[in-house]
Amino acid sequence: TGTDSNNVALVGGDGVTDPHYVIAASTSPGFVGSQAVTFTHPAYAPNDPNSRWISISSTGTPGSNTTSYRLTFDLTGFDPLTAVITGDWGVDNDGAILINGVATGNTLTGGSTANFNVLHAFSITSGFVAGSNFIDFVVTDLGAPTALRVDNLTGTARQVTGAIPEPATWLMMLIGFGAVGAAIRRQKAPPLKKAR
């Protein structure tokens, strides 16, 4: 969060537009579809050269809401069954991570200050699909301000090296091979010549 296209922390104070995270949902009206912006608070884990805190506004208000910060990425050309994403995150106050709308089991709960004054490791190992994917960081705030931080985000997946036939194509190929094999077996052996 809070980085440019080279994953370097955005320069400037609060309110700098994050080019990667979109507000996908919020119980506070007027924010859905807008880009997240940088925001920090002295109680939060300090920003670093690779990430900054983001929020729905430059002041982290309004609070007392639930907001989904969405990051979209494309796995075209990669095997989604081999995809893994890891990183560190913090939220003010509670949070959950979803991949393509499905819970990943990564949560920060209890409204504890430990959810935002240190970052916590997370890992996503399933739920990926071919093509476009999205991760939602769902933040539930218990009182202004509200914010999210993601750092050390890393993704891996095995590249697809050749086209993988659809199941129906495999079935047609097997039927075709079977038919060719049967035709070869039905051919009569050439007659033997009599010895003289």
Side-chain angles (χ1 to χ4, degrees), residues 108-173:
L108 296 174
T109 59
S112 169
T113 58
N115 291 350
F116 57 76
N117 58 27
V118 295
L119 299 182
H120 306 269
F122 70 87
S123 179
I124 306 170
T125 58
S126 63
F128 300 95
V129 297
S132 184
N133 289 257
F134 61 90
I135 300 175
D136 284 336
F137 293 88
V138 182
V139 178
T140 300
D141 180 58
L142 305 178
T146 180
L148 164 70
R149 170 103 175 272
V150 179
D151 199 355
N152 302 314
L153 191 62
T154 304
T156 60
R158 189 171 351 138
Q159 192 167 12
V160 177
T161 56
I164 300 172
E166 296 290 327
T169 304
W170 279 112
L171 179 61
M172 293 303 292
M173 288 170 51

Side-chain angles (χ1 to χ4, degrees), residues 31-101:
F31 292 97
V32 173
S34 63
Q35 295 294 130
V37 296
T38 56
F39 170 73
T40 194
H41 188 278
Y44 295 166
N47 291 326
D48 64 33
N50 302 315
S51 75
R52 292 181 64 181
W53 287 87
I54 58 172
S55 186
I56 57 177
S57 74
S58 63
T59 59
T61 59
S64 301
N65 59 30
T66 298
T67 300
S68 295
Y69 298 83
R70 180 168 290 176
L71 176 66
T72 304
F73 59 97
D74 195 337
L75 285 177
T76 299
F78 295 91
D79 180 355
L81 298 177
T82 66
V84 174
I85 292 180
T86 60
D88 299 312
W89 70 315
V91 295
D92 184 359
N93 293 99
D94 293 343
I97 302 175
L98 284 65
I99 181 77
N100 298 314

